[in-house]
Every structure is written in C-alpha cells, then in structure tokens.
Amino acid sequence: MDSQHIFAEDYEEASTELALSLRVTGNNITEIVNVCLILSVTIPFGLTVFGALAIKESSREYQMFYSFFSILENGGYAFVLIEGFIILMTYSALLILPALMTILCGTVYYKVSDLFKGICGHLENLNGISYKYSEIFKLLETYNLLYKYAQEIEKVFSTTSFLLLFCEWLNFLVVLIIFFKLENKGLSDVIIWESGFRLVLGSLIIIAVVLCASRISFQIRRFRSILQIIHNYLLRNEDSTFKTLQLIRTMMNMEFPRMTAGGILDLEPVLILSVFGSVLTYGLLVINITQH
C-alpha cells in the first residue's frame, strides 16, 4: 500500500512539473501565435477586397468562376458584394483555414518540443550524486508521461499534417501550371497577387509544420543520448544498484513514436527539400505532357 502511495505521489509530481513547463513554454510563443493569427485573417480579407474591385480586369473565365459561372452585364454594388462573398469563401478554404490549422499544429508541436527540451536540460545539469534510485524513478515517471504525450500528438496531428502538406503540394502544382499555361493577357493583377500569396503561404505552411514537428524528434534523440551517458556512468560506478540500471535501460528501450504525416512521411527537415523538388519535377512533367 505504501509503495502504491509513493508511486501515485511521484506520478502526480511529474505531471505537475510537466504542466508548469507547458505553461512557461506557452508564454514564450503567445506573441508569435497572435501575430500569425492576425496576419492569416487580415491578408486574405485584403486580397478579397482587392479581388472584388479588380476582378473586371481579369479574364472572362476567372470572372465566371467567382460569379456562379454567369457574368452579369450590369455589374452594380450588389454584384460586387456577391463576387466578394464568393471570393471570401474561396480564400477562406484556400488560405485562412490551412493557415489556422498550421498555427494550431505548429503551436502544439513547438510547445511539446520545448517541454522535451526543458527536461533534457534538467538531465544535463544533474551530477553523479543525483543518480539515485529515487531520482531515476521520478525520471522514469516523467519519461512515461512524455511518451504518452508523443503518442497522443502523433495520433491526433499526423493526419492533419498529411492533409496540410498534400494540399499545399497540390497548390504549388496548380500555381505552377497557371503561370506556365496562361497567356500574358490572362495573367491579371488579381491572379498574380493571389498566386503569389498562395505560393508564399504554402511555403510557410510546409516549413512551419515540418520544422516544429522535427523539434520533437530531435529532442527525443537528445534525450536518448543523455540516457546513454547516464547509463555508462552508472556502469562505471561501483555504488550503482541493479534496480537503478534497470530503470535506465527501461527508458532506453522505450521506443518513442516518430512524428509523421499520416504515417507515411517522417517530419524531418529533409522533407522540405523533397516537397519542393517533387513540385518542380512533377509540375514540369505535367506541363510538358499538356504541351504535346
């Protein structure tokens, strides 16, 4: 009964430490998140106003797309409002929604990676005197909670990350084909501004998701390296007990889930180059096929 009580106290203490770490980490990125939220909403609204006012200079097909495929000859204020509403709904699906989802995913990835970073920093500051069974047992409880966090994050955000990356990959292809296939008279200011912003936003989405998620994988590798150092130290120390070594080995053998996109792509920095390279490869291939 006493051992269960001690186990519960250690588990609660580890949970409290992680909660405090998450709270401190959240304060560090609040301003960045707020700026991203403001920009992700205001810029598409600005493009909507610009598109509604300048759409008359675009091609007939572009006007039909934003007017339910029927161009009204007498374009009054009501018609401008209708087109503006359709443009806003389109931009909300193409720009605002992916941006908001990216902010959510990136924030969670970043906060959890900073949590891992804080625990790793605490481990590095420990000395040999602190490698007692009670301290290592508390470390095991913290490690177990981090393992559960990583599992839940991978389960919840893996599919979302895959959809974001895949949609932006298709978005790049569409924009690339638009610039190569449209004639000069079809490239109005509205299309250029819209396509340019889609390229910039898509690039930022891919970079943000991949880099924020890769921070978790990096900290996990760092954690395992520190555990290996502690294990080697305990092996050389005559005062080390078998139970303490067993706890360290248990943590070393615990396989953390990889941060992936749909369980298909590992969210590592090299994925950024792969995405942009594949866009150029398949985009130019599609253009060459359509030209022949």
Side-chain angles (χ1 to χ4, degrees):
M1 190 70 179
D2 293 337
S3 61
Q4 292 181 353
H5 181 68
I6 295 174
F7 176 83
E9 287 183 349
D10 291 336
Y11 193 85
E12 183 178 356
E13 182 179 352
S15 302
T16 303
E17 291 179 358
L18 291 181
L20 291 175
S21 299
L22 278 175
R23 186 178 303 174
V24 173
T25 304
N27 294 332
N28 296 333
I29 61 173
T30 300
E31 295 182 359
I32 299 176
V33 172
N34 290 336
V35 171
C36 292
L37 286 173
I38 294 173
L39 292 178
S40 64
V41 175
T42 55
I43 293 179
F45 268 99
L47 286 176
T48 299
V49 175
F50 175 72
L53 297 177
I55 195 172
K56 290 300 181 182
E57 301 176 2
S58 303
S59 63
R60 183 178 180 85
E61 293 78 12
Y62 191 81
Q63 295 180 46
M64 291 179 64
F65 178 79
Y66 286 111
S67 58
F68 293 116
F69 297 94
S70 61
I71 298 180
L72 300 179
E73 298 298 335
N74 186 14
Y77 289 107
F79 181 63
V80 173
L81 291 177
I82 293 174
E83 282 189 331
F85 177 76
I86 299 174
I87 293 174
L88 178 60
M89 293 298 100
T90 304
Y91 285 174
S92 297
L94 289 177
L95 306 176
I96 298 179
L97 182 60
L100 295 180
M101 293 303 298
T102 301
I103 293 173
L104 173 62
C105 293
T107 302
V108 174
Y109 282 141
Y110 192 92
K111 289 178 66 175
V112 174
S113 67
D114 264 11
L115 178 59
F116 276 80
K117 181 180 179 181
I119 301 299
C120 289
H122 175 69
L123 274 181
E124 289 179 337
N125 293 330
L126 291 178
N127 51 35
I129 301 176
S130 302
Y131 298 154
K132 298 179 181 179
Y133 178 81
S134 59
E135 295 296 328
I136 300 300
F137 186 79
K138 291 180 181 179
L139 176 61
L140 176 62
E141 296 304 318
T142 303
Y143 199 73
N144 188 43
L145 285 177
L146 293 177
Y147 178 80
K148 291 181 179 179
Y149 280 154
Q151 273 192 326
E152 290 298 322
I153 289 172
E154 169 63 14
K155 185 187 302 181
V156 173
F157 291 100
S158 177
T159 303
T160 304
S161 299
F162 176 78
L163 291 176
L164 283 172
L165 296 180
F166 181 71
C167 290
E168 296 310 316
W169 184 81
L170 288 179
N171 184 39
F172 283 153
L173 285 180
V174 171
V175 173
L176 187 64
I177 293 173
I178 286 176
F179 275 103
F180 275 93
K181 297 300 293 182
L182 282 183
E183 299 178 358
N184 292 332
K185 61 181 180 180
L187 286 175
S188 62
D189 293 338
V190 178
I191 297 178
I192 293 175
W193 277 96
E194 176 188 329
S195 300
F197 185 73
R198 287 168 66 178
L199 284 177
V200 173
L201 180 63
S203 302
L204 292 177
I205 286 175
I206 293 174
I207 293 173
V209 171
V210 173
L211 290 185
C212 290
S214 65
R215 282 170 54 93
I216 297 179
S217 301
F218 173 77
Q219 295 302 329
I220 291 174
R221 292 192 295 268
R222 180 185 172 196
F223 210 133
R224 295 176 67 87
S225 299
I226 297 173
L227 288 176
Q228 184 65 57
I229 294 174
I230 296 176
H231 180 266
N232 295 340
Y233 174 84
L234 293 176
L235 284 177
R236 296 192 303 267
N237 191 350
E238 297 179 354
D239 298 331
S240 301
T241 62
F242 175 77
K243 288 185 177 181
T244 304
L245 283 170
Q246 193 66 26
L247 291 179
I248 295 295
R249 289 168 183 166
T250 299
M251 288 185 284
M252 292 176 62
N253 294 330
M254 193 179 297
E255 290 291 337
F256 273 77
R258 297 176 301 170
M259 296 297 108
T260 65
I264 301 174
L265 303 172
D266 289 337
L267 295 176
E268 297 288 347
V270 68
L271 180 61
I272 298 175
L273 297 178
S274 300
V275 170
F276 290 125
S278 63
V279 168
L280 292 177
T281 301
Y282 290 106
L284 295 177
L285 178 62
V286 171
I287 292 171
N288 290 331
I289 292 175
T290 56
Q291 287 179 347
H292 295 288

